[in-house]
């Protein structure tokens, strides 16, 4: 068992060293973004929205295509009532992952709060069609 772990560790190191520097850097950035995202979600769940927002903005800086960061930013802005910013972030999350049920559901809720019932109904009807 110990030999297998050693072989696995050496194999991973060899694979990483074979990657071009740009790919290694991208993997490093994405792993750091993922670690910060985990901390941000913990802040969100503790209702520490400002810390979560600060961390999520860092995630977006490190990995602009991180749909989960946009989603949680939307939630962090929504619950204290910053619904225009919540709509912007949730729209971005949906743009990045258009088939994610939760992203679209929360965006519909924010559209509703913002008085955009036509957009909210459109999303809800689409979700019903997809998940019936």
């Amino acid at each position: 068992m110990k030999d297998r772990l050693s072989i696995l560790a050496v194999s991973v190191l060899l694979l990483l060293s074979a990657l071009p520097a740009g790919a290694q850097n991208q993997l490093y950035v994405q792993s750091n973004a993922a670690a910060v995202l985990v901390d941000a979600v913990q802040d969100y769940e503790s209702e520490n929205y400002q810390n979560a927002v600060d961390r999520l903005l860092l995630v977006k800086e490190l990995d602009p295509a991180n749909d989960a960061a946009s989603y949680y930013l939307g939630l962090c802005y929504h619950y204290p009532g910053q619904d225009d910013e919540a709509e912007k972030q949730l729209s971005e999350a949906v743009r990045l992952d258009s088939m994610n049920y939760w992203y679209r559901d929360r965006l519909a809720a924010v559209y509703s709060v913002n008085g955009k019932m036509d957009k909210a109904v459109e999303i809800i009807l689409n979700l019903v069609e997809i998940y019936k």
Side-chain angles (χ1 to χ4, degrees):
M1 180 68 163
K2 196 174 189 180
D3 290 335
R4 285 185 180 182
L5 287 175
S6 297
I7 291 170
L8 180 61
V10 169
S11 298
V12 168
L13 289 174
L14 286 173
L15 284 173
L16 286 176
S17 67
L19 290 174
Q24 289 177 7
N25 187 44
Q26 184 63 22
L27 285 173
Y28 177 76
V29 167
Q30 287 178 333
S31 66
N32 281 343
V36 175
L37 179 64
V38 168
D39 291 338
V41 171
Q42 289 174 340
D43 285 335
Y44 163 76
E45 290 176 349
S46 299
E47 298 180 16
N48 191 346
Y49 299 124
Q50 189 55 55
N51 277 358
V53 165
D54 293 342
R55 289 179 187 202
L56 291 163
L57 290 172
L58 175 59
V59 172
K60 292 294 287 181
E61 187 178 315
L62 293 170
D63 183 9
N66 192 310
D67 55 296
S70 295
Y71 172 72
Y72 280 102
L73 272 168
L75 295 181
C76 287
Y77 287 126
H78 174 62
Y79 289 111
Q82 297 173 324
D83 290 311
D84 288 338
E85 189 61 30
E87 181 180 322
K88 178 180 162 188
Q89 293 298 330
L90 290 167
S91 293
E92 176 68 4
V94 169
R95 186 189 70 75
L96 292 168
D97 183 359
S98 63
M99 294 308 296
N100 187 298
Y101 173 88
W102 298 109
Y103 297 178
R104 294 164 73 188
D105 176 73
R106 289 295 86 203
L107 180 57
V110 170
Y111 278 151
S112 177
V113 168
N114 285 346
K116 298 177 181 178
M117 293 306 292
D118 55 330
K119 289 185 174 187
V121 169
E122 181 182 339
I123 288 174
I124 291 167
L125 290 175
N126 186 264
L127 287 173
V128 168
E129 184 65 29
I130 291 170
Y131 294 103
K132 67 178 177 180

